[in-house]
Each structure stands twice: as structure tokens, then as C-alpha cells.
Amino acid sequence: MKNRWTKGTFFLLFVAGSLFPLKAAAKEAPCLSKKNLTMRAGDTSLITLRNNGNNLTSWQVISGQKKVSLSCRISYGELVIQAKKKGKAKIRATVGSKHYIIKVKVKKAKGARKVVLTKALRKKAGISTKGQVKVPKTFRYKKKKYKITAIGSDCFGSCKKMTSIQLPSTVTSLASGAFHDCTKLTSVTFSKNLVDIGNSVFYRCQSLKEAHLPEKLVSMGTGVFESCLSLERVTFEGSLKTLPASTFIYCKALTEVNLSLDLAYIEKKAFLGCQSLKNLTLPDSLIQVGDQAFDQTSTGFQWKGTNYKTSQELLEALGNQK
């Protein structure tokens, strides 16, 4: 697309914004990863309340209490549902005065059970946590077959001898803290069908060097790569619209980030302390940058074909800061 922006244009926009304050850009509203869910008895499923930040969420079965059970009843936007018997149920997520409803239909048990891989199931499946780890699509335990569709919270947390991990294409979600404190983890092969990543999934993975996030990813929690001290390069292939708060906070070795071309929001402290990030090309779709997003960095910016030396210059060009 031909660049039609000039420095004069940005000056006029800034002056106009000073005289006539721009309306603050609305962030992506919270929404459920699934509103209607079909399961079979014995299945477990991970549900995410996307774009929820660190707001405390309560979960409650409001009908069909005998059909499903819940774990992580109170969390920051995540829930594991277990289907118990045939029938229908409704589950309500509550954040402040806002309510979100999930309708669940449970069928009779048949075929492989679709499950969220927990630490307990990981041990039953015999999945190693040393060296190069490959998570299988399915496993058998006591003559029953299980299909892994999500990695549960803390499933591989503090596995300090794991150096790499490969996730199968069946995995669509990673729960909060799934790989936290894996201090020798250097590389991750993501599922091509990954859609949701929870809070602090790779928190303090101090040896992780690179991350290539797949095309289907639409939602991330806060602090996903916080304190990944060796992280150098990250690529977003898909259409992620919000880079959440503290995504790369204190990633001191980060030098290159290829952002989503549809990115609209960079939330607070997203790049705080990324002292090696010298230049960053921002997509034309960007409309808002959060407080302290680029503090303690020496980053230069390019946005809409124009170069900016400081984050303050960028914020002035954007016409808003929040």
C-alpha cells in the first residue's frame, strides 16, 4: 500500500488531537473461546474467557449440575469442564457485573476421550520431561484411549531438564503457567492449530531463544514470555489484535519481533525492560499503546512509513495514550 502520510500530516493530527481530544480506542471485549460445547462422557475441555486480563473470574454450573463438573472454579479467565453423563448443562462465568454463558451438551461415552493434559495424566501417559520432549496426539491408559486437546495449567511447570518440546496438531489451547520455570527449555514447536495461550505460559523460561507463533492464534494472556532472559526473536504469523500487558517484560535479549499485521492494541508494559530491542516496525493497524509499554528500552519505531526515535513521539502520532 502506498504511503501517503507525511510529517506535516502527523503534526496536524497531533494539534487537532490536542484541541479536540480523540475518543479513547475501545479494547477488545472479553468473550468466551466457546459458547456452545459438545462433549462425550469422560471428556475434559479447557474454556478461556479471552481478553480478560488479570480480572478474577468466578464459574458456576447454573443448570445440569449432575451432567458436568468444574475445576479451577475461580481463576483468571480459565476453566476445565469435565463431562460426567448424558444431558445438557449451562455454566456461567462472572466478572464483576458481567455474565457469560456456556451451553454444554454431553453425549454418551464413545471412542477416545478428549482431554486437557494435566500433570497427573502426563505421568500416566508416560510422557518424559527430560531432554527433547514430544507430546503425542493420543495415549492409552488402562485400556482407554485419550486424545490430547489442551495442555493444562502447570502441566510441565518447573521441568528443569526439558530442553525442547513439540506439541501435536490436536492441541488448541495452553493453560496458564503450562511451561513456567522450565529453565533449560530452548525451543518450542507449537501446534499449527493453537488458538489460545493463557497467562504466564513461559514465565521464567530463561533459556528459550525463539518463538514462532502459529497463524490461528487469536488470544493470549498476560506475561506469556515474562523474564525469558535469552529470548531473541519472536514471530506472530496470524491475526492477533491485542498484545497483552507484560508480554515481553524483562526479555533483555530480545532483538527482533515480527508483529501481527492486524495488531491494534499494545497493552501496558508489553516491552518494558527489553533493552536489546533497537528497532520495531509497527503495523498500520495499530491504534493504541499502553502505559509504560516501551519503558526501559532504546527502541526506535517505524509506523505508517515514518520513523520515530522515542515512544513519546509515537504516542503523539497515534493521538492517544493509555
Side-chain angles (χ1 to χ4, degrees):
M1 184 177 72
K2 187 176 180 181
N3 176 31
R4 297 182 179 177
W5 293 78
T6 66
K7 291 184 178 179
T9 303
F10 283 120
F11 176 75
L12 290 173
L13 282 174
F14 176 56
V15 171
S18 300
L19 295 174
F20 306 100
L22 297 175
K23 184 179 179 180
K27 293 183 180 179
E28 286 189 278
C31 64
L32 291 163
S33 57
K34 294 179 182 177
K35 293 182 180 180
N36 296 282
L37 182 61
T38 300
M39 307 173 71
R40 295 188 183 276
D43 288 358
T44 58
S45 184
L46 177 65
I47 299 294
T48 302
L49 183 59
R50 296 170 176 165
N51 309 315
N52 187 47
N54 282 327
N55 294 316
L56 195 63
T57 310
S58 63
W59 304 85
Q60 182 182 10
V61 180
I62 56 176
S63 67
Q65 284 84 354
K66 294 182 179 181
K67 312 303 179 185
V68 297
S69 63
L70 311 181
S71 60
C72 305
R73 287 173 182 262
I74 298 178
S75 67
Y76 295 102
E78 285 179 358
L79 171 73
V80 175
I81 301 172
Q82 181 171 8
K84 296 170 68 177
K85 58 192 297 186
K86 183 180 178 181
K88 295 182 179 180
K90 284 186 180 181
I91 298 166
R92 182 173 63 202
T94 302
V95 182
S97 60
K98 297 285 186 179
H99 300 295
Y100 307 85
I101 302 295
I102 308 165
K103 296 179 180 180
V104 183
K105 182 178 181 180
V106 181
K107 296 182 177 182
K108 289 183 179 179
K110 184 180 179 181
R113 294 182 176 181
K114 296 180 180 180
V115 295
V116 179
L117 187 68
T118 62
K119 186 171 287 189
L121 277 179
R122 187 201 79 208
K123 293 176 180 178
K124 290 176 181 178
I127 299 172
S128 171
T129 59
K130 298 179 180 180
Q132 297 177 340
V133 176
K134 183 177 180 180
V135 178
K137 292 181 180 180
T138 62
F139 67 92
R140 288 188 176 275
Y141 179 71
K142 291 186 176 180
K143 298 183 179 181
K144 293 179 180 178
K145 187 177 181 181
Y146 297 84
K147 180 179 180 181
I148 300 170
T149 61
I151 307 298
S153 179
D154 196 37
C155 182
F156 289 90
S158 298
C159 291
K160 298 185 183 297
K161 295 183 179 181
M162 183 168 65
T163 58
S164 69
I165 189 159
Q166 182 177 342
L167 299 172
S169 59
T170 53
V171 168
T172 60
S173 302
L174 304 178
S176 293
F179 302 99
H180 75 86
D181 290 290
C182 292
T183 53
K184 291 187 178 180
L185 181 67
T186 61
S187 66
V188 179
T189 303
F190 291 95
S191 162
K192 64 180 181 181
N193 294 311
L194 186 65
V195 177
D196 294 292
I197 297 178
N199 298 338
S200 305
V201 166
F202 298 102
Y203 175 65
R204 285 197 308 209
C205 290
Q206 297 177 0
S207 300
L208 185 63
K209 294 183 178 180
E210 188 170 354
H212 194 99
L213 297 160
E215 186 175 354
K216 293 184 180 180
L217 182 69
V218 297
S219 172
M220 288 174 57
T222 61
V224 170
F225 296 103
E226 180 176 349
S227 297
C228 290
L229 301 181
S230 300
L231 188 65
E232 296 176 358
R233 290 176 297 277
V234 178
T235 298
F236 292 88
E237 287 290 342
S239 56
L240 190 75
K241 292 184 178 180
T242 299
L243 191 69
S246 304
T247 296
F248 298 111
I249 189 171
Y250 305 131
C251 291
K252 296 181 179 181
L254 189 65
T255 60
E256 181 182 344
V257 181
N258 296 307
L259 296 166
S260 162
L261 295 179
D262 294 319
L263 189 70
Y265 310 99
I266 296 176
E267 295 191 336
K268 64 181 182 180
K269 300 182 180 180
F271 292 93
L272 176 66
C274 295
Q275 60 192 35
S276 298
L277 190 62
K278 303 299 182 183
N279 295 288
L280 187 64
T281 299
L282 301 168
D284 289 0
S285 53
L286 184 67
I287 58 177
Q288 190 176 85
V289 173
D291 185 43
Q292 295 183 284
F294 299 104
D295 278 18
Q296 299 175 34
T297 72
S298 55
T299 305
F301 307 91
Q302 184 178 61
W303 181 62
K304 289 188 181 292
T306 302
N307 294 314
Y308 302 92
K309 293 182 179 180
T310 67
S311 58
Q312 185 60 39
E313 289 179 1
L314 173 66
L315 290 169
E316 291 174 358
L318 283 164
N320 63 73
Q321 60 178 298
K322 192 161 185 166

